[in-house]
Amino acid sequence: MKNLFCNSTDLKNEADVEALFVERLLNYFSFPDDRVKRKRSLDEMVIGQGSKKEKYKPDYVLFDSAGDPIIVIDAKAPSEKIEDYQYQVSSYALGLNQKFKDKNPVIFTVLTNGLYLIVYPWDNSQPEHFLKFEDFAPHNESFIELRSKLSYSAFEHAKATKGVFEHDRPTLHTLLKAFNDCHDLIWKKEKISPTDAFYEFSKIMFIKIREDNKIHDKFSNGDSLTKDDFVFSTHWLDAMAKNGIEHPFDKILFSQVQEDLEEQIKRNKKKRVFEKDEGLNLKASTVYEVVKKLQNFDLYGIDEDLNGRMFETFLNATVRGKGLGQFFTPRGVVHYMVESTPLTINVSKGKSLEESIPYVFDGCCGSGGFLIDAMAQFVRDINNKTNLTDKQKEAYLEEAKNNHLYGIDANPKISRIARLNMYLHGDGGSKIFKADALDKLIQSEAGISKEEEQGLKELRDEFNKNHLKFDVILSNPPFSMKYDSKDPNEKVVLEQYSKVNRVGTKMTNSEKSNVLFLERYFDLLKPGTGELSTVIDDTVINGQKSQRYRDFLLDNFILVQVISLPFNTFFGAEANVKTSIVHLRRKSEGEKQGHVFMAIANNVGHDDHKKPTPDRNNLREIIRYYERWQNGEDIDDVIIDNQSNDEPLGCPMQIFTVAPNKLNKERLDAFYYAPELVKAREKLFELRDTGEIDLFYGRDFEVIPEIKKRQEKNFGGNSYKYFEIGDVTIDGTIVKYREEPFESLPTRARLQVRKDDVIFAKNNSSRGTTVIIPSEFDGQLVTTGFIGLRPKSQDEKYLLWGILESEFFRKQIYYLSITASQPEVRETIFKNEIIIPIPKDKKAKQNIIDSAVQAEKARISLSNAVKGSSDAVNRIFSV
């Protein structure tokens, strides 16, 4: 395993834990060298446990800026049980605190063996924080909370504010609750739209972060703080009210924000978020209540996870979703895509500042989630580079934030939100543009403002004059948006494309934007090195009518990885769409496809009910395997059955690679290559080779054809019984049907069945629904959502029914289904891909038949009993 600091295999002894883990952790927490005393510089103390006495000194003692000890740390070998040594660090902390007359400066003791880290209050044996090796990752909530408590700036801030004003870094849970409370408060008190509520709240957040920055600047300069310095407070508002100043957050604080922004806009440093003379459009009483909820939080240097929670709280319920044709990308998916793309700062001789930093782009950036995560990755990488001075780091950060993160969104409100989000994360969103990223000409519309026209000209110059190419593109294009040639403006865009929207030489009449983006991103990537990681609906990578898109991908890109995402990934946006992460690299001339990394994720941080389940997000496990694979390690098939009683899953988590000669150009989805399916099939082939079973495919049986258009006249004028999949229980009982003239039935009523036919649901969500047609439905109709088989005999009927009810058959339906919104096994897939195993042994075959007969009898008996009970009740109440 690998975390933010080291590989677990590198930790062999105590010295490794100190050098590779503790030292790097202290650097990450920004402890200056002169605030860290190591073992050789520490005094020994006599400590005891019961009657036993010993001489002891820890590996580290950390000090604050006043020279007071605050943390005692001891490192042990990975084989040691660290809890056994709590008495040592606790006793040493006691000895240090006893040297101070009126205070106990040591706050925490820490024990670690590299694989685990435990933080104790200095005078308590109950842990306050417990982290495992893998928890030391940028987006892990436990690590975020640890960082907010144990970083050097946290102690300095706590010391500066102690006794002056309560002002602490909140936990993620606390902050999320506060944002939810603010969200509800603004809606209820102001009675404004969700979008407007978000904009007004964001203005308050601008003020909050600006004022918290001032607090940190003040005590960092050595100045003492007073309560009056905390301007974002009800204390300050009460003081303003006593002086007769009305609505000071609007008249004073937001006016200052606006002045600063306007000045930066004039200098072409920032792009517009708020209108020039816009004020704070909330009642003073509402502002007071919001300030009261947020005033005690320290949001200085707010990281992407904390700020991301604010945006989720507001955006998920407001400006995102179906109304705008956009879906909020779950944070776990964003993190995975960013962490698995090459965003490393390459500091080396001969490379300029600009050349050292990758260029990143998102053509439908939404609220800027991918760009903010990429920026956070840049910040971590730059701050961790020990070969850079503080001044050099500052220069790299400035360059990366302002010149290397490009985003475009066609929606004016969304593009403003992206700039706003970037501002709140420490960047001005200077390269966020309002435009149609699919319009290669970057045309201007009539009536736009001078500022907007300047932005489009800047973008045109970058793309079409300077021919800017990107190292990394991260994106989640809208799934359903189409460009139609009937619309003159959209036709102009379609005509700019020459690959994905062509059948032969002829341009298609319409095309989904997500496939147009594939060609657009190809044009914008650096040849041979540029990488695209995109969320795409599975229809593109496995749909029968989408072959030209797959051909385009395989002809122009190297397929790096495909990660199947769970069906519930976008439930938060009320979208039931099967999607995958597809990671591509633009091909060099003549380059051949290599192995492809694939995985099937069954949890990305929430369950089917949209309840957060961050600990079950298996993308965190998958990224570790991907990094190992990138470093040249062979990855054997991994199948992890992580289903829990609280969360039933469709399949286990799976991690694997696919050789280029095994890649089927018709199926680029990870499901098709699932190890669980492969292993089950291999077992069947073994049994066939040993002569125990025969293997058949769907084509080996009589498949009932659907009624063709030309045949419909033969059915007109007649009435038919008709049932759909929802009219059947999972055990095959038909519980309801309708009987109407053929012309009145749905167009899907096109499968005519006979007595003893066996039909099964081809839809993935209904897999396992199998019916033996009873005599009363002989010659009647069922939905084409079923595939029907016509057995040659009674024995074959029951044999087929038993096999189609089996777990292995259901598994094939699950993994071989295609398309995104309603994945299903089409008839061609059933005929050519689905395996039907039949035992050769007569006794084994008869066992299946006998079990099926008994099940059929039991089902009929139960159905009759239920009907009899229902009739009896109806007779009583009908009297």
Side-chain angles (χ1 to χ4, degrees):
M1 289 190 296
K2 182 181 178 183
N3 65 18
L4 191 61
F5 305 114
C6 60
N7 287 303
S8 58
T9 51
D10 293 335
L11 302 176
K12 297 180 176 64
N13 51 47
E14 183 177 323
D16 292 337
V17 174
E18 290 180 25
L20 303 178
F21 181 66
V22 179
E23 292 286 348
R24 293 172 182 179
L25 179 66
L26 295 181
N27 181 58
Y28 191 83
F29 283 177
S30 303
F31 274 87
D33 285 340
D34 63 350
R35 300 295 94 191
V36 180
K37 273 194 179 183
R38 293 163 180 84
K39 194 167 194 170
R40 61 183 176 273
S41 304
L42 296 172
D43 295 329
E44 237 176 17
M45 290 187 188
V46 176
I47 64 170
Q49 187 178 31
S51 59
K52 182 183 174 185
K53 301 294 179 184
E54 61 182 284
K55 289 183 177 180
Y56 167 81
K57 58 180 175 178
D59 292 305
Y60 302 87
V61 174
L62 309 182
F63 294 81
D64 63 18
S65 58
D68 292 341
I70 49 177
I71 303 177
V72 175
I73 303 176
D74 209 359
K76 301 295 180 185
S79 58
E80 296 278 10
K81 186 180 177 184
I82 52 178
E83 296 95 324
D84 293 344
Y85 298 95
Q86 191 269 335
Y87 78 95
Q88 289 183 334
V89 286
S90 177
S91 297
Y92 199 87
L94 174 63
L96 288 176
N97 280 338
Q98 285 175 340
K99 295 180 180 181
F100 293 83
K101 194 173 183 181
D102 298 318
K103 61 181 179 179
N104 293 318
V106 178
I107 302 170
F108 296 114
T109 62
V110 178
L111 285 164
T112 182
N113 62 4
L115 304 180
Y116 302 98
L117 180 141
I118 305 177
V119 179
Y120 299 93
W122 78 271
D123 58 350
N124 197 314
S125 62
Q126 292 300 311
E128 189 158 315
H129 300 277
F130 178 90
L131 282 80
K132 296 175 287 188
F133 177 88
E134 60 268 25
D135 291 335
F136 290 88
H139 311 294
N140 183 278
E141 294 191 10
S142 297
F143 182 48
I144 293 166
E145 191 165 335
L146 184 75
R147 185 175 61 202
S148 72
K149 294 288 180 65
L150 265 63
S151 67
Y152 184 72
S153 63
F155 286 101
E156 292 302 286
H157 179 262
K159 186 169 66 173
T161 57
K162 188 176 181 181
V164 178
F165 190 85
E166 185 184 340
H167 198 242
D168 300 315
R169 182 59 63 104
T171 65
L172 286 172
H173 175 77
T174 305
L175 190 67
L176 181 59
K177 184 180 184 306
F179 285 156
N180 272 310
D181 290 345
C182 292
H183 180 258
D184 293 343
L185 172 70
I186 293 171
W187 273 19
K188 288 173 183 174
K189 289 202 73 170
E190 298 290 332
K191 295 181 174 55
I192 54 179
S193 74
T195 305
D196 290 340
F198 173 78
Y199 275 109
E200 296 309 316
F201 180 74
S202 68
K203 294 173 186 176
I204 295 177
M205 286 301 295
F206 255 89
I207 296 168
K208 171 65 176 165
I209 290 172
R210 175 189 172 96
E211 293 304 322
D212 284 356
N213 288 350
K214 286 181 182 178
I215 293 293
H216 277 260
D217 289 342
K218 192 172 178 65
F219 76 73
S220 295
N221 291 331
D223 298 334
S224 297
L225 294 175
T226 68
K227 194 170 184 179
D228 292 337
D229 291 320
F230 292 86
V231 173
F232 194 98
S233 66
T234 54
H235 169 77
W236 185 81
L237 284 171
D238 291 340
M240 292 295 103
K242 284 180 182 176
N243 292 326
I245 300 171
E246 294 183 2
H247 215 337
F249 257 60
D250 179 28
K251 300 293 193 300
I252 300 174
L253 299 184
F254 189 65
S255 291
Q256 291 171 357
V257 167
Q258 282 283 61
E259 285 173 17
D260 286 353
L261 291 176
E262 288 300 323
E263 180 59 31
Q264 292 181 75
I265 290 168
K266 284 178 187 174
R267 291 189 285 120
N268 205 29
K269 289 282 187 183
K270 308 294 180 191
K271 288 187 168 55
R272 182 165 301 285
V273 174
F274 305 114
E275 294 299 334
K276 190 172 182 180
D277 298 317
E278 189 174 351
L280 184 57
N281 301 312
L282 293 175
K283 294 193 284 281
S285 60
T286 304
V287 172
Y288 192 94
E289 290 301 314
V290 172
V291 169
K292 189 175 181 180
K293 291 179 184 298
L294 299 178
Q295 64 182 342
N296 299 123
F297 296 152
D298 173 27
L299 300 186
Y300 169 77
I302 186 169
D303 61 40
E304 70 277 7
D305 288 279
L306 290 174
N307 207 8
R309 290 304 183 97
M310 179 190 80
F311 271 72
E312 281 187 20
T313 301
F314 281 82
L315 291 178
N316 225 10
T318 58
V319 295
R320 303 292 298 207
K322 290 183 177 179
L324 293 171
Q326 300 189 8
F327 301 124
F328 193 94
T329 310
R331 202 165 54 257
V333 175
V334 173
H335 294 338
Y336 182 89
M337 292 169 67
V338 170
E339 288 176 32
S340 61
T341 48
L343 291 174
T344 305
I345 310 294
N346 186 4
V347 178
S348 58
K349 281 187 177 181
K351 277 201 169 189
S352 68
L353 198 66
E354 181 184 338
E355 293 170 326
S356 302
I357 305 170
Y359 280 88
V360 183
F361 178 56
D362 183 357
C364 35
C365 67
S367 63
F370 285 114
L371 298 175
I372 286 162
D373 224 56
M375 181 172 71
Q377 189 91 331
F378 282 158
V379 171
R380 284 192 295 272
D381 194 20
I382 292 167
N383 286 334
N384 285 337
K385 291 195 180 299
T386 55
N387 59 334
L388 295 177
T389 65
D390 287 346
K391 189 174 181 180
Q392 286 173 321
K393 287 180 180 180
E394 199 173 304
Y396 273 93
L397 288 169
E398 183 75 15
E399 174 70 17
K401 288 182 176 183
N402 291 321
N403 298 318
H404 288 255
L405 297 160
Y406 283 73
I408 296 176
D409 204 280
N411 185 292
K413 283 187 176 178
I414 296 291
S415 59
R416 289 254 185 118
I417 284 171
R419 292 173 194 162
L420 165 72
N421 204 356
M422 298 291 277
Y423 275 122
L424 294 177
H425 282 86
D427 169 62
S430 53
K431 299 295 182 182
I432 304 293
F433 299 89
K434 184 265 171 185
D436 182 355
L438 289 174
D439 179 10
K440 297 181 182 183
L441 303 176
I442 312 175
Q443 302 164 91
S444 302
E445 295 178 12
I448 64 173
S449 69
K450 186 178 178 181
E451 275 182 7
E452 197 172 335
E453 176 54 50
Q454 285 174 341
L456 291 173
K457 182 183 182 305
E458 181 185 343
L459 193 59
R460 274 195 295 272
D461 288 347
E462 291 276 34
F463 282 10
N464 301 338
K465 187 176 175 182
N466 302 330
H467 304 292
L468 175 65
K469 302 293 181 186
F470 292 93
D471 298 278
V472 173
I473 295 177
L474 299 153
S475 197
N476 178 11
F479 303 145
S480 57
M481 188 185 299
K482 278 189 176 181
Y483 281 68
D484 197 311
S485 58
K486 292 177 183 175
D487 183 306
N489 294 323
E490 293 177 7
K491 185 178 180 182
V492 170
V493 173
L494 281 171
E495 288 174 339
Q496 298 171 26
Y497 290 78
S498 60
K499 298 182 178 74
V500 294
N501 65 332
R502 305 282 160 159
V503 177
T505 58
K506 188 179 178 184
M507 186 180 84
T508 54
N509 292 325
S510 67
E511 206 62 74
K512 284 187 177 180
S513 63
N514 61 348
V515 293
L516 292 174
F517 268 112
L518 293 175
E519 183 175 336
R520 181 61 171 140
Y521 288 153
F522 170 79
D523 294 338
L524 291 171
L525 282 170
K526 290 182 178 178
T529 59
E531 298 192 13
L532 163 65
S533 186
T534 182
V535 177
I536 203 157
D537 67 277
D538 277 16
T539 302
V540 175
I541 56 176
N542 66 22
Q544 290 178 334
K545 294 180 180 179
S546 302
Q547 190 57 49
R548 71 176 187 274
Y549 309 139
R550 295 189 289 277
D551 290 342
F552 169 76
L553 292 181
L554 294 172
D555 289 344
N556 294 282
F557 293 95
I558 295 297
L559 190 57
V560 180
Q561 61 172 329
V562 179
I563 310 298
S564 172
L565 298 174
F567 289 89
N568 67 20
T569 298
F570 292 98
F571 276 13
E574 298 180 8
N576 185 13
V577 185
K578 176 69 184 74
T579 57
S580 295
I581 298 169
V582 177
H583 183 171
L584 307 156
R585 178 169 52 77
R586 182 169 164 170
K587 265 186 184 177
S588 297
E589 190 173 346
E591 189 176 6
K592 301 294 184 185
Q593 177 68 50
H595 280 65
V596 183
F597 181 89
M598 291 194 182
I600 297 171
N602 53 36
N603 185 301
V604 294
H606 63 263
D607 62 18
D608 286 350
H609 306 289
K610 299 180 275 188
K611 176 187 172 185
T613 56
D615 291 341
R616 288 178 58 73
N617 172 18
N618 42 60
L619 289 173
R620 296 185 304 183
E621 181 79 8
I622 294 169
I623 191 69
R624 289 197 282 270
Y625 279 92
Y626 176 75
E627 288 170 350
R628 286 165 51 190
W629 181 71
Q630 283 281 294
N631 290 329
E633 238 185 273
D634 288 333
I635 302 296
D636 295 326
D637 291 349
V638 176
I639 301 176
I640 300 174
D641 189 0
N642 57 340
Q643 182 162 290
S644 74
N645 293 331
D646 296 331
E647 184 186 16
L649 300 168
C651 69
M653 175 173 71
Q654 297 164 72
I655 304 165
F656 52 102
T657 59
V658 177
N661 63 325
K662 298 287 186 184
L663 207 58
N664 180 350
K665 69 175 186 177
E666 295 180 5
R667 296 292 298 259
L668 301 183
D669 55 309
F671 264 25
Y672 184 76
Y673 306 92
E676 187 183 38
L677 178 63
V678 170
K679 289 182 188 303
R681 285 179 154 189
E682 286 173 350
K683 180 64 176 174
L684 291 182
F685 293 138
E686 286 175 18
L687 293 172
R688 179 198 61 187
D689 294 343
T690 57
E692 295 177 58
I693 63 172
D694 285 319
L695 295 184
F696 298 91
Y697 288 87
R699 61 177 176 265
D700 296 318
F701 299 89
E702 185 181 347
V703 178
I704 304 168
E706 294 179 12
I707 297 167
K708 301 288 189 266
K709 192 79 176 170
R710 65 178 182 275
Q711 299 172 307
E712 290 181 359
K713 62 178 183 294
N714 300 327
F715 293 82
N718 298 319
S719 285
Y720 292 90
K721 293 176 181 177
Y722 167 73
F723 66 83
E724 300 192 334
I725 294 170
D727 300 330
V728 180
T729 62
I730 193 68
D731 66 359
T733 303
I734 303 165
V735 291
K736 63 176 182 175
Y737 64 89
R738 55 201 276 193
E739 189 168 3
E740 294 176 17
F742 180 80
E743 294 82 3
S744 301
L745 292 173
T747 56
R748 58 185 176 275
R750 294 297 182 270
L751 195 65
Q752 188 176 35
V753 293
R754 300 291 179 193
K755 177 181 177 296
D756 291 338
D757 284 347
V758 180
I759 63 173
F760 67 91
K762 61 185 182 183
N763 190 291
N764 192 358
S765 60
S766 303
R767 62 188 181 280
T769 304
T770 310
V771 183
I772 295 175
I773 299 298
S775 56
E776 61 264 37
F777 285 93
D778 185 38
Q780 305 306 305
L781 300 175
V782 300
T783 175
T784 52
F786 288 109
I787 289 178
L789 302 179
R790 189 148 288 158
K792 296 182 179 66
S793 66
Q794 286 291 304
D795 279 357
E796 186 174 276
K797 173 183 76 172
Y798 288 114
L799 193 62
L800 279 174
W801 185 83
I803 291 168
L804 298 184
E805 280 282 297
S806 70
E807 185 57 32
F808 172 68
F809 187 80
R810 295 182 193 192
K811 211 166 270 183
Q812 292 185 91
I813 298 286
Y814 185 79
Y815 286 120
L816 296 176
S817 293
I818 61 171
T819 74
S821 56
Q822 289 292 330
E824 64 180 20
V825 165
R826 303 281 169 85
E827 188 176 308
T828 54
I829 295 173
F830 172 70
K831 287 181 174 180
N832 299 317
E833 298 268 7
I834 297 280
I835 297 173
I836 299 174
I838 296 181
K840 280 189 172 182
D841 181 72
K842 287 184 178 179
K843 188 176 180 181
K845 193 183 294 186
Q846 192 61 47
N847 282 340
I848 296 175
I849 293 170
D850 291 345
S851 296
V853 170
Q854 287 176 13
E856 176 74 352
K857 287 179 178 177
R859 183 186 62 74
I860 293 170
S861 176
L862 178 63
S863 178
N864 289 337
V866 171
K867 187 176 185 302
S869 174
S870 177
D871 289 346
V873 171
N874 289 338
R875 280 195 297 273
I876 292 170
F877 287 102
S878 64
V879 174

